[in-house]
Amino acid sequence: MNSAEKAIGVIGIGYVGLVTGTCLAELGHHVCCMDIDAMKISMLEKGETPIYEPGLPELLEKNRERMTFTTSLEEVFAACEIVFIAVDTPPTFTGDADLSRVFQVLSSLPGVSTGHHVLVMKSTVPVGTGTKISSELARQEAGDIDYVSNPEFLREGTAIDDFMHPDRIVIGSRNPEAGARVAALYEKLDAPVLETNVPTAEMIKYASNAFLATKISFINEIANVCEAVGADVTVVARGMGQDHRIGPYFLDAGIGFGGSCFPKDVAALKQIAGNSGYHFQLLTAVIEVNELQKRRVVNKLQKHLGALTDKTIALLGLAFKPNTDDLREASSIVLASRLMGDGANVKAYDPIALPNAARAVRGVLLCDDVLSAGEGSDAAVLVTEWDEFADLPLEKMKELMNHPLIIDGRNFLDPEKIRAAGFTYEGIGR
Ligand code: UGA
């Protein structure tokens, strides 16, 4: 390492922190990653990757020489001038973001931060948090610290590509010099940099996620109307998306959005608005439509099978989307408990998320492959559009299932092919 170039610190090595740290190393920076979870740090030191993210183990291995791992905050602040905070901010029961992990880091600063530091917030924090933190740091006399908001727009499953090819880099700061230093870390990337103040940067993150979630709930409602009037939502979405003002993305109808970001961020933005005296009506509807969407699958099953008591339903896919093992706020969890609540037996298979599933979907019989999930089932519901489901072993499934019914919760399968194999097929809005 060049003596003039200090390492970049990253505090919190979850999905966002680990991808950010590894990609910063790929851009040529030395990176010091810190987490309070000693087990995670020891895995990383041994060259193991604690989360599932395509391409991440290879990138970690490639950049090993530029990355160090520690559980010591002091070590990070001694080695690094620019320090990213990427701890998680889960929702509280009121829908507000829980900032306790952020404040835990801040409360340690007076003891560890000497000299000048730039604190860069990657975690999604409510609008106004940066201003609050800056005054708190000044009150604590925590040292010479600049605060910069640099929200992330990574998607699980494609996080590395999203980091390396961003649509934009948003930098919110009070001190433009500190903002420029953070922007310089990304200079090798070909992306516009939007420099603004801290609350605006914080709002860009929430507004982006809330808008994407709104697009999904909107197309889901269009799908529900399509079902009633005999239109095909997949073609409607294609036709809408060809209008460049609308764009083709995030118009896939299905059983609703999940994951650790959209549900939490939409609820938090609604709460931020409410706390400041504004009732965000549109977001209330976005959340409600998303809840109802998961339950519509139950109605579809009842339409074909009657009462679900003692029926066996196979869920194909449990993760909140493909290419991740993440089950946080996954539609599968709500669907499984709704089905069990109606007296059904639920079996499930997921190519990657099974190890996380035992705790998340208690009472569900976890199976090692599609055929064991299908065996003895009265219906199969495709919940996550994993590639492997594009080519289901239809003939064998038909033999093993009690009843040849497939509900395609992601409009992922070819209806003609499924019907030609002797199944009843139902998608969402087609
Ligand atoms: C989302 C955003 O896309 C990222 O830009 C953002 O950085 C991230 O949240 C975050 O705030 O950290 P992610 O939650 O990983 O990323 O996943 P998405 O690919 O956005 O999908 C979210 C959910 O929406 C999934 O359940 C997916 O199945 C669903 N979805 C997505 C649809 O139902 N229809 C669509 O057309 C697109």
Side-chain angles (χ1 to χ4, degrees), residues 16 124 151-158 162 168 205 208-209 212-213 215-217 219-220 248-265 290 319-322 324 326 328-331 383-385 409-410:
V16 172
T124 301
E152 56 85 18
F153 301 101
L154 311 176
R155 286 164 300 172
E156 288 181 25
T158 53
D162 289 342
R168 76 303 209 186
K205 168 69 188 187
S208 302
N209 272 2
L212 292 170
K215 255 185 131 176
I216 299 169
S217 276
I219 201 67
N220 281 338
Y249 306 106
F250 281 70
L251 287 178
D252 293 327
I255 56 171
F257 58 79
S260 63
C261 305
F262 283 178
K264 156 179 90 80
D265 292 351
N290 198 47
F320 84 94
K321 65 173 192 177
T324 175
D326 199 341
R328 284 176 289 178
E329 301 285 331
S331 301
V383 179
T384 316
E385 64 277 35
R410 297 288 173 187

Side-chain angles (χ1 to χ4, degrees), residues 216-226 233 253 285 289 292-293:
I216 299 169
S217 276
F218 181 85
I219 201 67
N220 281 338
E221 289 218 282
I222 293 289
N224 300 341
V225 181
C226 281
V233 73
V289 169
L292 293 175
Q293 201 65 12

Side-chain angles (χ1 to χ4, degrees), residues 35 70 95 102 127 181:
D35 202 289
T70 179
V102 172
V127 185
R181 289 194 59 195

Side-chain angles (χ1 to χ4, degrees), residues 225-246:
V225 181
C226 281
E227 279 176 14
V229 298
D232 181 341
V233 73
T234 59
V235 185
V236 171
R238 205 182 321 143
M240 287 169 64
Q242 281 168 348
D243 184 329
H244 74 275
R245 294 169 303 174
I246 298 173

Side-chain angles (χ1 to χ4, degrees), residues 316 369-372 388-401 406 417-418 421 423:
L316 305 185
D369 52 44
V370 171
L371 289 178
S372 2
E388 101 171 50
F389 298 152
D391 199 16
L392 289 172
L394 294 171
E395 216 173 293
K396 211 82 201 112
M397 269 176 83
K398 183 144 181 286
E399 264 170 43
L400 292 172
M401 286 176 68
I406 293 184
K417 200 167 129 190
I418 307 290
F423 284 85

Side-chain angles (χ1 to χ4, degrees), residues 8-19:
I8 311 299
V10 181
I11 299 173
I13 303 300
Y15 279 99
V16 172
L18 192 54
V19 171

